[in-house]
């Protein structure tokens, strides 16, 4: 892994290809859950690896995965900000998310819809912890927040998800 | 749903990226490199242009002073208009300046 990081630092294209093989799927799914839009998620996944290539020289950690997630998270947060500004000037639904992919399990749809209604301050740590299995320490490094705050956000995020899922299942059943 | 210990335990990641994903990344990298080169060239051109402009301005400003000094120090020349009337002009170039006019017959000199 260290050799890969060293090669990445000198902008070796083979190293970038290897890194993409290792993480592109995870990053894409992470961004897809966050944004709820396939095209946007793919675009931001590409942008993540473009940044990896150009910023690898300043990489100061051995935890490559956490560093790449940090880049992806920053891009997603910036996208959320853009959406907020866009929604401020439009009459559209604030929580309107475009799911443009077709084949998936019903369970996934319910979870993704509930997740799309969750504010990003809960959504980001919840996905990192529950879907991508990061430790709170790694999350603290990536999101620049204290471990205690993150534990609380994940707990409250889960509670909000549960209540949203109950409402959705109740609505579907009724 | 209450029995659910872990909300995401049944969540299955099933989305896959396009086959040309890596190609698109390298294309973006190439474009960004080109943009950077253009930006650096443009910036360099502006800096060089600015430097040349300032140097030129300072250079010609200096020369202007010299020309003025040269004109001030140029040899005075008396030009006779008629026998009794002369005017004094200076400047060795074509730009004659009338300084004073005198009539020797009446006043001797000015």
């Amino acid at each position: 892994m260290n050799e890969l990081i060293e090669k990445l630092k000198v902008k070796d294209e083979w190293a970038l290809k290897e890194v993409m093989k290792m993480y592109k799927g995870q990053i894409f799914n992470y961004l897809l859950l966050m944004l709820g839009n396939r095209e946007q998620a793919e675009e931001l996944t590409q942008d993540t690896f473009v940044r990896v290539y150009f910023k690898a020289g300043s990489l100061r950690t051995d935890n490559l995965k956490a560093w790449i997630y940090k880049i992806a998270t920053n891009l997603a947060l910036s996208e959320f900000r853009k959406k907020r500004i866009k929604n401020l000037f439009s009459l559209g639904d604030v929580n309107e998310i475009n799911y443009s992919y077709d084949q998936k399990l019903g369970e996934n749809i319910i979870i993704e819809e509930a997740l799309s209604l969750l504010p990003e301050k809960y959504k980001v740590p919840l996905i990192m912890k529950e879907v991508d299995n990061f430790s709170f320490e790694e999350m603290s490094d990536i999101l620049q927040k204290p471990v205690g705050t993150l534990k609380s956000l994940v707990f409250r995020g889960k509670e909000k998800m549960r209540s949203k899922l109950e409402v959705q299942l109740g609505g579907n059943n009724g | 749903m209450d029995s659910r210990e872990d909300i995401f335990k049944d969540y299955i990641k099933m989305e896959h990226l396009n086959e040309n994903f890596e190609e698109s990344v390298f294309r973006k990298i190439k474009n960004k490199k080109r943009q950077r080169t253009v930006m650096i060239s443009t910036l360099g051109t502006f800096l060089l242009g600015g430097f040349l402009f300032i140097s030129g301005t300072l250079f010609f400003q200096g020369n202007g002073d010299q020309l003025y000094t040269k004109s001030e120090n140029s040899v005075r020349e008396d030009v006779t208009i008629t026998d009794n009337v002369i005017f004094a002009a200076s400047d060795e170039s074509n730009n004659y300046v009338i300084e004073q006019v005198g009539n020797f017959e009446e006043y001797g000199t000015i």
Side-chain angles (χ1 to χ4, degrees), chain B:
Chain B
M1 192 52 60
D2 289 339
S3 61
R4 213 186 253 265
E5 284 297 315
D6 183 356
I7 296 167
F8 294 94
K9 77 174 165 48
D10 295 325
Y11 182 77
I12 299 162
K13 292 178 182 176
M14 54 183 301
E15 289 297 328
H16 297 290
L17 285 159
N18 284 333
E19 280 176 13
N20 60 355
F21 174 83
E22 291 178 14
E23 235 172 69
S24 304
V25 171
F26 282 111
R27 200 181 311 119
K28 279 189 176 184
I29 288 172
K30 204 175 163 187
N31 285 345
K32 204 163 181 179
K33 275 183 182 173
R34 196 181 302 131
Q35 276 176 359
R36 282 187 175 188
T37 311
V38 169
M39 211 169 74
I40 290 168
S41 307
T42 311
L43 194 69
T45 309
F46 269 110
L47 285 175
L48 187 68
F51 174 75
L52 289 175
F53 176 76
I54 292 168
S55 307
T57 308
L58 290 174
F59 178 76
F60 285 113
Q61 210 173 31
N63 269 2
D65 285 343
Q66 277 182 349
L67 281 172
Y68 181 74
T69 309
K70 194 176 175 186
S71 176
E72 286 285 296
N73 294 336
S74 59
V75 181
R76 181 186 171 95
E77 188 184 356
D78 289 345
V79 179
T80 305
I81 298 171
T82 63
D83 289 345
N84 299 323
V85 180
I86 62 158
F87 74 85
S90 61
D91 195 337
E92 56 198 2
S93 68
N94 292 329
N95 301 319
Y96 285 90
V97 176
I98 297 171
E99 291 182 346
Q100 286 174 317
V101 178
N103 187 331
F104 282 103
E105 207 170 67
E106 200 172 326
Y107 302 109
T109 184
I110 297 168

Side-chain angles (χ1 to χ4, degrees), chain A residues 92-128:
Chain A
D93 182 1
V94 176
N95 290 318
E96 186 186 350
I97 305 253
N98 171 30
Y99 286 94
S100 53
Y101 42 104
D102 309 318
Q103 295 177 337
K104 57 179 150 180
L105 301 172
E107 193 75 29
N108 275 12
I109 296 172
I110 294 167
I111 289 172
E112 285 164 5
E113 280 181 358
L115 207 53
S116 74
L117 299 171
L118 208 63
E120 70 218 39
K121 72 171 178 176
Y122 300 115
K123 184 157 57 177
V124 177
L126 191 63
I127 295 171
M128 289 188 100

